[in-house]
Amino acid sequence: MLFTGLNFLFFWMTWTTLVLSHSPLRVELFGTLAIRLVFYLAPSVFFFLFDTILPYAASSVKAQGHIALPSGHKRRKISRKEVKIIGWSLFNILLSIVVQGAAEFTLTTLLRRRSLIKVAVRLPYPWGITTDIVRGFILREILNYSIHRFVLHNERLGITRLHETWYHGLRAPWPLTAHYDHPLCYLLWKFLPLYVPAALFRFHMITYMVFLGLVSLEETWTHSGYSTVPLGFVLGGMARRTEMHVISGGDGNYGAWGILDWLGGSTADENDTIEEDVRAELADLDIDAKIRKAVQEAKNHMGDSVEKERVKTRRRVNGNS
Ligand SMILES: *[C@@H]1O[C@H](CO)[C@@H](O)[C@H](O)[C@H]1NC(C)=O
């Protein structure tokens, strides 16, 4: 049971009042905006501020160290580039809500059809919510993988250039970048995989809000860069795969779960990218001479086959800096 006793009664009264006093379109759009604010924007802004104000502490809890900071560096302040990225991310979130509103308005008011999301007083059953959300997530993953791999990373299509210059202009994901991309790419790989399942299975608005809340939390954590995340056995893997997708420049890991990449043979080669990463760090002129020497020594002492050791050393070195 999701809600019990008095809580449930209170919730039911609030929901009934809301639905009876506002148009379904308003309930859908404001509900969507509210969930985005609470479950995506608020935590992402908080993480972003933490990363910006306390870069040393933040980089020590990042899986990829300081390259996963917004500025890419511990001593550098954020610049206009980061501000632009955040601006476009916020624009994209609003754009997706406008598109959602336009679609619903066209269907219900112009074409006199039923809405894509069901806004009704009658509440869905917990079991109904659960099954809808499970199939919603499965379809979302399939759509994300297919669109991401075969449209956004398809050399023969022009849109690939947009995705590569926008989203892949990032060195690594950092808080607030989950919604950053060219608006057209954004609608294709973030909005459609989210909204199409909801519309296809005609989610109840309550179900849609739960789904959107989970998606928002997932986006927040997978783009946070932090090495420890809640539900680590699910979100941890997703976060590392997303990082590898960005760090490798889009060379694999097109899905979030890894299953479709495994089936489709498109898993990003972690060893390659980590080595590049170490090299990039050595090339970074601002890096402490001592750390550089330590990393170099660690590299010299270890054979190519002990990749794992190298990663550990890197983490240790990062941790001490
Ligand atoms: C799609 O997969 C990528 C991993 O490459 C992930 O970063 C992104 O958040 C996923 N998007 C959706 C809508 O599932």
Side-chain angles (χ1 to χ4, degrees), residues 29-152:
L29 298 185
F30 281 97
T32 304
L33 186 64
I35 298 284
R36 279 307 197 190
L37 286 177
V38 174
F39 294 98
Y40 177 72
L41 264 186
S44 296
V45 166
F46 180 79
F47 292 159
F48 174 79
L49 290 178
F50 172 67
D51 284 8
T52 316
I53 298 169
L54 298 167
Y56 283 86
S59 70
S60 70
V61 292
K62 296 259 185 185
Q64 312 299 334
H66 63 76
I67 72 154
L69 290 174
S71 64
H73 201 282
K74 277 188 270 198
R75 275 177 228 127
R76 215 173 287 145
K77 289 265 175 287
I78 60 155
S79 63
R80 276 183 61 173
K81 193 170 155 232
E82 283 83 49
V83 175
K84 248 174 81 179
I85 290 175
I86 295 173
W88 278 112
S89 311
L90 301 181
F91 173 83
N92 283 337
I93 295 177
L94 291 179
L95 173 71
S96 69
I97 297 179
V98 169
V99 170
Q100 186 177 341
E104 288 287 35
F105 181 80
T106 308
L107 270 180
T108 57
T109 308
L110 302 183
L111 301 175
R112 306 208 167 277
R113 297 282 177 83
R114 56 177 206 179
S115 59
L116 298 169
I117 302 288
K118 185 162 93 191
V119 181
V121 170
R122 208 194 139 114
L123 293 172
Y125 290 106
W127 179 245
I129 298 181
T130 313
T131 50
D132 269 352
I133 286 178
V134 169
R135 51 188 188 165
F137 268 111
I138 293 173
L139 184 54
R140 173 170 174 260
E141 177 70 5
I142 295 172
L143 287 173
N144 183 28
Y145 181 80
S146 329
I147 296 171
H148 193 190
R149 179 172 180 185
F150 301 114
V151 180
L152 297 183

Side-chain angles (χ1 to χ4, degrees), residues 140 144 148 167 189-190 193 218 222-223 242 245 253-256:
R140 173 170 174 260
N144 183 28
H148 193 190
Y167 185 69
W189 79 305
K190 297 281 171 169
E218 178 213 286
T222 55
H223 281 76
T242 300
H245 174 73
N253 287 8
Y254 304 107

Side-chain angles (χ1 to χ4, degrees), residues 15 25-26 63 96 102 127 140 185 212 236 239 298:
W15 175 250
L25 185 60
R26 275 180 76 145
S96 69
W127 179 245
R140 173 170 174 260
C185 305
L212 188 64

